[in-house]
Amino acid sequence: MSHRLALRDLVDVVRPARPVASVYLGSSPLRAWRARWHRLADQLHSDGADPEVVDTVGEVLRRARSTYPTADTLVAFAGQELPPRVFHTPGLRHLDLAWFSSPAHVLPLLAWVQDRPPRVAVTAGRRSAELMSGDERVSLSYPAQDWRQGVRSAAAACAEMVLRGEIGLLVVAGEDEVVGALWEALPTPVRRDVVVRWTGRDLTPNRIAAEIRAAARSRAEGVLADFNDRGRAQGLAVEGNDDTLAALAAGRLDDLLIAHPEDVKATAWFGAAPTDVSRCWSPSRRCGLLADVAIRAALLSGTRVHVVHAATPSAPFEGIGGLCRVPLSLVRS
């Protein structure tokens, strides 16, 4: 069944050690759906996918196209250890792609998720408040003379949405005094952990989308600045294929930075355990695209993953790096 993508879905997708079919049915098709699917299915077969897996992927994509006939890109995964998953990803521009490999190829989806952080949007006024988070909507009305109490109720509802959905972005519209009262009424943990984007009194869908993009850009810039200022300057950064995989294997990495588009020639070896990764062959390990191997290790071990553009001047060497809890000299020891 098709559903909206969340980061926890990707954790499930990368968990299997055995090969997974990763299919991106891209945007702007030049040929009919059936011809495009046959070409993708042929690629899966040539990669060694079982006919049952290929048929399963084709069926879930067919159903998803019926549900989302104008979708930009549909992305499907399936394997012997993974029930079929298909995601509708509005705004993701991707060419048709089919791989039967391990781990699953989720980097484009990680970039898509990172550019669209979950948010709570709030319009706060002196008579009412509207809160939206995904498909959830809360409407509150209160007398104008009691607007401060009403705003406190809106803040409590907002905090519940933020904490329940592990949301880090709050987009707020309203006049200064009302927005200030809402902010003061939020619990301290929420004020500490969320980024707030104030839009004046404009909270149209286009404005919300613009604020989400701005917040995502700001976060990516902050990650790279931290990588340079704290990581490289203080010896807490690793970069390059070998050093980054070694830090992941040692469980020392707090944040993984991975470039997109990735290096499709670099490979690595991995085992079933989250941090069993290496550049070296082992009879107990499988070979995969290095970027996919690193992402799997990070997601399964609780390491934060940040996708950066490969052309960014301050991007890590070889398109991969990270921030460690201890200096690199200790990671290597």
Side-chain angles (χ1 to χ4, degrees):
M1 181 170 63
S2 177
H3 63 281
R4 296 286 180 172
L5 178 67
L7 186 59
R8 60 181 175 274
D9 294 309
L10 297 185
V11 175
D12 293 336
V13 168
V14 301
R15 192 181 305 279
R18 300 182 68 180
V20 170
S22 305
V23 177
Y24 290 71
L25 185 65
S27 54
S28 302
L30 299 178
R31 292 185 293 174
W33 142 255
R34 185 174 296 277
R36 296 168 67 205
W37 166 243
H38 283 323
R39 185 173 66 82
L40 294 171
D42 287 345
Q43 182 61 54
L44 293 176
H45 283 303
S46 67
D47 286 347
D50 293 338
E52 182 180 352
V53 170
V54 177
D55 291 344
T56 297
V57 173
E59 177 59 24
V60 296
L61 281 173
R62 184 193 65 78
R63 292 201 304 265
R65 279 185 57 83
S66 298
T67 305
Y68 303 106
T70 61
D72 291 325
T73 298
L74 294 170
V75 186
F77 301 95
Q80 292 185 359
E81 299 176 357
L82 179 69
R85 309 285 179 89
V86 58
F87 303 107
H88 172 222
T89 53
L92 175 61
R93 304 291 180 178
H94 204 286
L95 299 175
D96 287 359
L97 173 75
W99 284 350
F100 186 66
S101 60
S102 55
H105 184 57
V106 299
L107 179 56
L109 291 188
L110 270 177
W112 184 84
V113 170
Q114 179 177 292
D115 287 342
R116 292 158 181 81
R119 85 299 184 270
V120 174
V122 182
T123 302
R126 296 178 183 268
R127 294 180 180 272
S128 64
E130 295 280 341
L131 298 89
M132 296 178 293
S133 178
D135 296 329
E136 184 179 3
R137 180 185 294 267
V138 174
S139 299
L140 301 173
S141 298
Y142 35 82
Q145 64 271 22
D146 296 330
W147 70 267
R148 289 187 180 277
Q149 180 59 43
V151 167
R152 284 194 288 271
S153 298
C158 178
E160 182 181 352
M161 283 182 171
V162 166
L163 296 173
R164 184 174 63 248
E166 298 181 351
I167 290 169
L169 175 62
L170 188 60
V171 183
V172 185
E175 59 181 271
D176 294 16
E177 187 178 14
V178 176
V179 171
L182 177 77
W183 175 253
E184 292 175 359
L186 289 171
T188 300
V190 173
R191 293 203 307 268
R192 181 190 63 226
D193 295 336
V194 301
V195 172
V196 178
R197 306 282 302 190
W198 180 51
T199 67
R201 301 190 184 190
D202 178 12
L203 202 62
T204 62
N206 285 341
R207 183 59 185 273
I208 293 174
E211 294 299 333
I212 290 173
R213 289 194 297 270
R217 285 195 303 270
S218 178
R219 182 171 182 268
E221 291 167 359
V223 167
L224 280 173
D226 195 32
F227 179 72
N228 283 282
D229 299 339
R230 182 168 65 92
R232 284 171 167 154
Q234 300 180 27
L236 293 172
V238 291
E239 54 187 318
N241 296 330
D242 293 331
D243 285 346
T244 305
L245 280 186
L248 280 167
R252 302 287 191 178
L253 217 57
D254 278 335
D255 296 86
L256 172 69
L257 279 67
I258 192 84
H260 182 244
E262 68 280 21
D263 180 0
V264 296
K265 296 180 180 179
T267 59
W269 295 82
F270 73 100
T275 57
D276 182 9
V277 294
S278 175
R279 294 302 303 278
C280 301
W281 174 86
S282 166
S284 62
R285 297 185 180 125
R286 293 179 178 272
C287 184
L289 187 68
L290 187 141
D292 293 337
V293 170
I295 288 170
R296 178 183 185 270
L299 291 179
L300 295 186
S301 62
T303 299
R304 294 179 292 267
V305 182
H306 310 279
V307 181
V308 300
H309 197 280
T312 304
S314 56
F317 172 64
E318 293 185 317
I320 188 170
L323 282 166
C324 298
R325 289 185 286 275
V326 296
L328 179 57
S329 59
L330 297 181
V331 173
R332 284 173 166 162
S333 63

